[in-house]
Amino acid sequence: MDKSIPDMYGSLVFNDTVMKKRLPSDVYKALHKTTKYGASLDIDVANTVAAAMKNWAIENGATHYTHWFQPMTGVTAEKHDSFVSPRSNGEIIMEFSGKELVKGEPDASSFPSGGLRATFEARGYTAWDPSSPAFIKDKSLYIPTAFCSYSGEALDKKTPLLRSMDALNEQAVKVLHLLGKKDVTHIDTTIGSEQEYFLIDKDLYKKRKDLLLTGRTLLGAPAPKGQEMEDHYFGVLKPKVAAFMHDLDEELWKLGVPAKTKHNEVAPAQHELAPVFETANIACDHNQLTMEIMKKVADKHHFACLLHEKPFEGVNGSGKHDNWSIVTNTKLNLLDPGDDPYHNITFLVFLMATIAAVDNYQDLLRVSVASAGNDHRLGANEAPPAVVSIYVGDELAKVLHSIDTETFEGTTEKTEMSIGATVLPNFVKDTTDRNRTSPFAFTGNKFEFRMPGSALSVADPNIILNTAVASTLEDIYETLKDVKEDMEAEIYKLLKKTLDEHKRILFNGNGYTDAWIEEAEKRGLYNLKSLPDAVPQLKDPKNVDLFTKYHIFTKEEIDSRYEIYLENYAKTIHIEALTMIDMVKRDFTPSLFKYMKGVEKELLQKKELLGAVHGYELRVLKELDACSVAIDEALEKLEADIIKAENTDDSLEKARLYHDVILEDMNLLRTPVDTAESKIPSEALNYPTYDELLFSLR
């Protein structure tokens, strides 16, 4: 390491420190006003910022700039232009104007638009987001931007996220002023996105067509050892993995990403990285960067980094836990209960607003994490079920019970833990446990939304959370705004009423049990098991009203996202099905037939020598022959059903066909393939097996 960590951190970021140093005082103040309060940016200010940004970037080795945006593909997009500007004398100068900083014009018709843009309506715009700092990567200056169509519709994830942050800020400040906190002028949502991922050997990865094309294994018999010994979680890092994590940290730190925690996860070859909390917009940008840098650093270490939610059947998939809280400009965490939560009225109001928001818009929260990959993960014994519920822990459950019964039961006593060995220190026990089965769990001073999948843009769930809580805060404000006397009594009355209306969403038990799913149904909670079940909720009138009221989406933008969700889902499974067919026909069955032919030859020789055949070889041949017949039948059905699905015009019907029929066909095909694979020597197969993939890093 050439630099110390403090010197390295943010060294490739045009951050506040760099701006203070390089911008004139009046320009810096004008930009700060734009960043914090949304004030319009004068073109002269933009020109000065652009010149300083260009000079800084060139000094740090940059030759190009790009408007970096997040279209509805789930990944980022970028188009690079050089700073070079030719002169008539054959020389060049390096130029970058305020106009080029503020606005770009990528082709909008080439990205998912859900019908908002036709191919001949190509013009789109990228608009600089000054609240997220520019950075240098691969000798280009990256400028975070929003992305919209020629007619102004949002075609990205950043725009609605920024809108939702504005909506929550407006409503939260109004409520805080009612509560007497007049010094609060602004709030931010903060996010910490824990990122799970798998690492496997790059050479093995290249031999798996399914991993290359779909990100998950479509075939594969279980390895003799999986995660059942529970020895990988928090286990000793293998030297090669530790070296990767070290380099990953350094690359992220240079880009200002506050990577903090790293460890082995539950499944073999699975790991996790967690950052320090940041403002929602920057945290979302940084998570996109994290996923990209993970893959790039993995490649340098001869690994492949898998971000699919369920790359391997039979072991844990990967999630992205969205730790969400609200912080004021006065540094008050509104979800911190303090030492006496029952009397912490500000905390209780924002807690209850969140509970009501999750209950009112549980369907939208489910939509926000819906994808073909995450559908495989949700509900398995590794991730929350598809039913949204809230875990508040014992301490808050006691507080809420006191509100409900109007009988204060006192604060929870702090318990000192003594482990029993004199050399070990005593420490104060937390007042609440952790519930890893809960989709939405209170964890001390924040909520942890555990349903998002590892490949997901974390913007989606936060758009819903911010907007839903803004809505419930406005309801609270409207109820309390005209109260003249005994505000505290009216607040507790409102808290009780809100709790009565929304207590069905609270559940502190085991979310993995069938009993809870039955109970959730009795309570009237949604159980949207798949994306085709969930996505129609986007068009529910209450949800359309929510989005349009707070200007998060127009009706047209909602319709476009509805179509994009369904189209991406169908396309994803279509590609998986075609890849599976290709692998079975071109990779697996040649290995199967070749091995069967060898066994048959052995049997014929044995019969010639002994006059009869029996024993293991005959049993294997019969079993493989039965698998061969089943494979042929399953292939024929899958191919026929794909044609039916592709000839379906209605997007929802097509998505349902892919979920109800094609996925079942794929499972039907996989069963005999995996059964046969388990009877064939590894060296006879044309692709690496699960035990090779999961235990390849030594």
Side-chain angles (χ1 to χ4, degrees), residues 390-410:
I390 298 176
Y391 168 83
V392 294
D394 294 338
E395 180 184 31
L396 289 190
K398 184 177 178 181
V399 170
L400 295 177
H401 180 70
S402 294
I403 292 171
D404 194 28
T405 59
E406 300 180 78
T407 54
F408 178 53
E409 300 178 11

Side-chain angles (χ1 to χ4, degrees), residues 164-178:
S164 75
M165 292 167 65
D166 288 343
L168 181 55
N169 173 61
E170 180 182 352
Q171 301 306 325
V173 170
K174 283 164 53 178
V175 170
L176 287 166
H177 286 185
L178 266 185

Side-chain angles (χ1 to χ4, degrees), residues 198-207 240-241 243-245 247 293-306 692-693 696-698:
F198 281 81
L199 290 177
I200 62 171
D201 180 88
K202 185 163 69 174
D203 289 336
L204 298 179
Y205 169 77
K206 289 179 177 179
K207 294 177 182 177
K240 289 183 179 180
V241 173
F244 158 81
M245 289 180 169
D247 288 355
I293 301 301
M294 277 179 170
K295 291 186 175 184
K296 185 174 293 186
V297 175
D299 189 63
K300 290 179 181 177
H301 285 258
H302 210 74
F303 297 153
C305 176
L306 307 181
E692 293 174 284
L693 293 169
S696 61
L697 305 184
R698 300 297 178 193

Side-chain angles (χ1 to χ4, degrees), residues 465-519:
L465 269 175
N466 292 345
T467 312
V469 174
S471 175
T472 54
L473 285 173
E474 183 171 17
D475 292 341
I476 290 170
Y477 175 80
E478 290 298 321
T479 303
L480 298 176
K481 68 179 182 179
D482 295 323
V483 173
K484 303 299 182 185
E485 297 180 2
D486 206 352
M487 175 67 83
E488 184 173 312
E490 291 301 316
I491 288 173
Y492 277 104
K493 189 186 299 183
L494 177 58
L495 292 174
K496 174 176 168 52
K497 179 177 181 292
T498 306
L499 180 60
D500 287 342
E501 293 171 352
H502 300 288
K503 65 175 66 174
R504 65 174 185 168
I505 200 74
L506 301 175
F507 179 64
N508 280 0
N510 184 354
Y512 289 165
T513 65
D514 292 337
W516 162 238
I517 302 302
E518 293 172 10
E519 171 65 21

